[in-house]
Amino acid sequence: MAESQNRVRAVVAVPLREELCRLIEEREPRLQVIRDHTLVPPMRGPADWSGDPAFTRTPAQQAAFDEMVDSADVLFGIPDVDPQALARTVSANPRLRWVMTTAAGGGSTIKAAGLARADLDRILFTTSAGVHGGTLAEFAVFGVMAGAKELPRLLADQHERVWPDRWEMRQIDEMTVLIVGLGGIGSECARRFHALGAQVWGTTRSGEPVDGVDRLIPLDALVDAVREVDAIVVTLPGTAQTHHLIGEQLLAAIKPGAILANVGRGSVIDEKALLPALDDGRVAFAALDVFEQEPLDAGSPLWGHPRVLVSPHTAALSSREEERIARRFAESATRLLDGEPLRAVVDTVEFY
């Protein structure tokens, strides 16, 4: 009993399979993993952290859930993935010291909670950023390849049973690919494009070298850089600083026929500015997994645009995602308890 009381209380505040709760316990025995599967909504599919919206708690269950969450030293997930639920438990629990969000872009939920600066300073917030890097990087490669090989033209001719004259497709190993954002996702993109023989450029704030990147581009030189590249891959989070970074000025400067892929956040691209660039061929093809408004409005011209591939924010989804995030939590807990720095710490000024 004394050993249990001395362990750090890690409360699972979102749906997580029992086997993965046990995995966390096994990988970091200093954690006491508190969970009650009857108090969280069932998942409808892989990594469905919000769970079934039809799930409701009785008043007694809600009280039990709040009591459980408020007993935490650390939280796996934001309760109910709800910023107001986070604000409530932060206010109720002065012993809370660390929260890991299950979303890579969990900073936006923390921002929406409207926490006081004192609470933002006393609690360490981290995200699952980087866990999804491989799957998103594969989509980025797929998107650039689809543009280079003119997938829309191939599909249209196949649909019409047309055998046209042959035409030259672009080759990845003859292209320069600019990755806008060299974090966890961007680094995985760089590794894959480099392996395919592309010349890889990337933007970075730190200026630190990244494996597979041939040239680092300061953000203030981005407009000049896009004049020279064949494809642009966006991996940036959605912040006030990145909002519409890919906008009218940049799209006016791009090399005609550039391919665009977005696996970051939809708010980074100004869709109103993108449409005329698609219409006149400045952007030859856009593979978009994220959008300014999600779900994408049924009236959006992006749905039917011949140069656009629409993916419903599903490129990161993987049946292994939950396990990867559970392993990240256990690894991060070990680092926290050993006094080592954690990965993917949220900047509580810009919230990314």
Side-chain angles (χ1 to χ4, degrees), residues 11-29:
V11 172
V12 179
V14 291
L16 185 67
R17 298 195 309 273
E18 177 61 22
E19 67 193 79
L20 296 180
C21 293
R22 291 176 182 168
L23 174 72
I24 294 171
E25 291 175 322
E26 291 166 2
R27 296 186 71 86
E28 181 40 83

Side-chain angles (χ1 to χ4, degrees), residues 139 142-144 259-263 285-289 307-310:
F139 181 85
F142 165 69
V144 172
I259 297 166
L260 179 64
N262 191 2
V263 291
F285 185 76
L288 307 174
D289 185 52
R307 300 181 190 272
V308 174
L309 177 67
V310 172

